Structure formats: structure tokens, C-alpha cells
């Protein structure tokens, strides 16, 4: 279904949205975390006049936002009960992050009838496996790099808080460099190890890398990957297309 859709993503670290036009990203907008979110969404709606809106949220957001969207547009709040082009075989689908559902849908649309592993590099690192049968089986969750840096400071007396960098050596010659080496190389080793473990179990599959910390890892992974910072929006857009088409 062609048209202009608004895909809203409320993550643990950032609240943002994308204006999608005929399935392609038109622009991305970041909301201010210090201001009321409803007027910000209303301004976007007034400026771009989308035909439909979908919300993916893993945080507690104002109920008034959903109520306003329901009254003023065709609105889908993504949940495990939303009609999807894939099946959820997760043990308790109600506990599955809706962002992971959207990423799995995006992977399925890009690589239908193929195994895919989606790696999200946000506040947490998530591994979401989509079986070639069209089932989201599950995956794994581990701390993201910011969480690892903060944990080293919080649970020690003297280690400083270090910020992530794209430049990090193997051997750290001071405390800051040593923390960078441990966290960044350790995370790369984790991701490579997880990919290898899935390869041993499932053979050939696609690896899709996305999320806010994608830049720190995309060039350092051993395996062929498809790096896409906008994969979540593409999945949300596909879900909204499916649901809006059912209503037309």
C-alpha cells in the first residue's frame, strides 16, 4: 500500500520517528526527552499529515498520546497480538520486545523463506532469529556497550566512566584505553561468537546489524553482514501497510 506513514519508536535511550513515503524513508525526527512528547508528535502530524501511524514502545509513555492518535488517524500500537506476516513461537510472546518483532518482520521482508539473525545494538544487544519457515523463534539479550561502561564505574571504586569510540586498540596502555579495549573488543568477540554458534546450529543464514551503536561494530565483524540503521522503521512500515490494507 503506497502512501505516507509515520513510524514512531520509543526506545530506552531515544524516542524518535520516521516519515515513510511509499515504503522509503523520507526523514528521521528525534524527540526531545525533556519536553512533553504529545505536542511534539502533534507537530509532526500537522507538518507531514501521514495517512496512518504505528507506535513501537518499550517504555512507559503517556496514555494521552495513544488516545489522541486513535482519535486523529488510523493508528496501530504494535504488540504481540498485532497481525504480522510472521509467526511468533516465543514461549511468552507478551514478554517479547516489540522492537524485536519489527526487526524480525523487516528481515523476513528482505529475505523471505530464509534464515535470518537480526542483531540490534542499542541499550541492550539483542539477537533475534527468524526461521526460514517464517517463525520468530527467539534469540538472546546481553548488555549494550553503554551499560557495560556504566557497570564498570558503578561496581568499582576507582574505574572511570568511559565513552564508546570507533578507535580502540587491542592493548590498552592506560586505564581508559584498557576499558575501551575490554568493552569494545569483548563485545565484538561476543557478537562474532554468537554468529558462529548460530551457524553451527542452522547453517546458512543472513546477518542483519542495526541499532544506535551499529557504527562501532559494522566494520569489525568477521562475517558478511547487512548493516542498516533504519531496519526497525522498515519493519514497522511493513506491519502498518499490512494492517492498513486490511482496513481498506
Amino acid at each position: 500500500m503506497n502512501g505516507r506513514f509515520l513510524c514512531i519508536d520509543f526506545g530506552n535511550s531515544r524516542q524518535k520517528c520516521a516519515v515513510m513515503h511509499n515504503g522509503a524513508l523520507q526523514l528521521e525526527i528525534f524527540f526531545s526527552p525533556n519536553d512533553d512528547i504529545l505536542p511534539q508528535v502533534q507537530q509532526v502530524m500537522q507538518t507531514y499529515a501521514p495517512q496512518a501511524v504505528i507506535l513501537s514502545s518499550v517504555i512507559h509513555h503517556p496514555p494521552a498520546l495513544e488516545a489522541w492518535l486513535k482519535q486523529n488517524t488510523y493508528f496501530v500500537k504494535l504488540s504481540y497480538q498485532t497481525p504480522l506476516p510472521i509467526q511468533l513461537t516465543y514461549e511468552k510472546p507478551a514478554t517479547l520486545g516489540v522492537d524485536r518483532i519489527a526487526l524480525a518482520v523487516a528481515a523476513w521482508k528482505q529475505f523471505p523463506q530464509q534464515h535470518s539473525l537480526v542483531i540490534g545494538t542499542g541499550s541492550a544487544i539483542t539477537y533475534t532469529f527468524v526461521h526460514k519457515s517464517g517463525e520468530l523463534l527467539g534469540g538472546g539479550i546481553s548488555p549494550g556497550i553503554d551499560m557495560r561502561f556504566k557497570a564498570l564505574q558503578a561496581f568499582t571504586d576507582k574505574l572511570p566512566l568511559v565513552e564508546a569510540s570507533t578507535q580502540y586498540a587491542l592493548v590498552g596502555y592506560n586505564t581508559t584505553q584498557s576499558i575501551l579495549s575490554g568493552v569494545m573488543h569483548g563485545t565484538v568477540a561476543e557478537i562474532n561468537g554468537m554468529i558462529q554458534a548460530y551457524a553451527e546450529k542452522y547453517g546458512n543464514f543472513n546477518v542483519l546489524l542495526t541499532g544506535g551503536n551499529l557504527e562501532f561494530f559494522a566494520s569489525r565483524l568477521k562475517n558478511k553482514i547487512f548493516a542498516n540503521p533504519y531496519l526497525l522503521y522498515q519493519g514497522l512500515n511493513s506491519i502498518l501497510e499490512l494492517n492498513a490494507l486490511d482496513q481498506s
Side-chain angles (χ1 to χ4, degrees):
M1 179 179 178
N2 293 330
R4 179 175 287 117
F5 293 163
L6 184 65
C7 300
I8 304 175
D9 170 38
F10 290 168
N12 288 300
S13 299
R14 294 181 294 183
Q15 290 77 58
K16 56 192 186 298
C17 68
V19 179
M20 308 290 289
H21 187 244
N22 295 340
L25 179 73
Q26 185 173 353
L27 79 161
E28 183 178 31
I29 301 167
F30 290 85
F31 298 119
S32 170
N34 300 319
D35 298 325
D36 187 359
I37 195 68
L38 178 55
Q40 297 181 73
V41 173
Q42 290 172 328
Q43 181 60 52
V44 172
M45 291 286 291
Q46 181 179 0
T47 302
Y48 298 100
Q51 297 169 244
V53 178
I54 186 169
L55 170 64
S56 166
S57 178
V58 297
I59 64 172
H60 295 290
H61 56 270
L65 173 65
E66 288 185 38
W68 186 87
L69 288 170
K70 288 178 182 177
Q71 291 174 359
N72 290 276
T73 188
Y74 178 79
F75 172 64
V76 173
K77 180 186 177 183
L78 180 59
S79 76
Y80 72 99
Q81 296 176 314
T82 303
L84 302 168
I86 60 174
Q87 299 296 315
L88 306 181
T89 57
Y90 205 64
E91 185 177 90
K92 295 181 179 179
T95 66
L96 180 63
V98 289
D99 52 341
R100 296 176 67 190
I101 294 174
L103 292 174
V105 169
W108 180 253
K109 183 169 183 180
Q110 186 172 349
F111 300 107
Q113 285 80 51
Q114 297 180 39
H115 292 322
S116 290
L117 176 66
V118 186
I119 304 172
T121 60
S123 299
I125 298 175
T126 60
Y127 303 88
T128 306
F129 192 76
V130 184
H131 194 273
K132 63 182 180 180
S133 62
E135 297 174 303
L136 192 169
L137 300 184
I141 304 173
S142 69
I145 53 175
D146 291 338
M147 201 179 297
R148 299 179 196 215
F149 285 125
K150 290 176 182 177
L152 285 172
Q153 182 200 35
F155 296 107
T156 63
D157 286 333
K158 297 183 177 180
L159 291 182
L161 179 62
V162 176
E163 291 186 358
S165 172
T166 55
Q167 304 298 318
Y168 46 95
L170 177 61
V171 179
Y173 294 103
N174 57 46
T175 300
T176 296
Q177 291 178 6
S178 295
I179 293 173
L180 270 173
S181 175
V183 171
M184 304 306 288
H185 281 289
T187 307
V188 169
E190 174 198 308
I191 295 173
N192 278 322
M194 289 292 280
I195 294 172
Q196 180 59 36
Y198 274 91
E200 292 173 1
K201 183 174 180 64
Y202 291 103
N204 294 327
F205 59 94
N206 307 291
V207 180
L208 297 87
L209 185 70
T210 191
N213 291 321
L214 178 153
E215 63 175 318
F216 299 113
F217 306 113
S219 64
R220 295 192 178 242
L221 299 178
K222 297 178 182 179
N223 301 77
K224 178 183 176 182
I225 62 169
F226 299 92
N228 183 350
Y230 306 118
L231 193 67
L232 178 62
Y233 294 138
Q234 293 171 358
L236 291 175
N237 190 79
S238 295
I239 296 168
L240 189 51
E241 282 185 339
L242 175 66
N243 284 266
L245 187 62
D246 286 343
Q247 297 297 317
S248 61

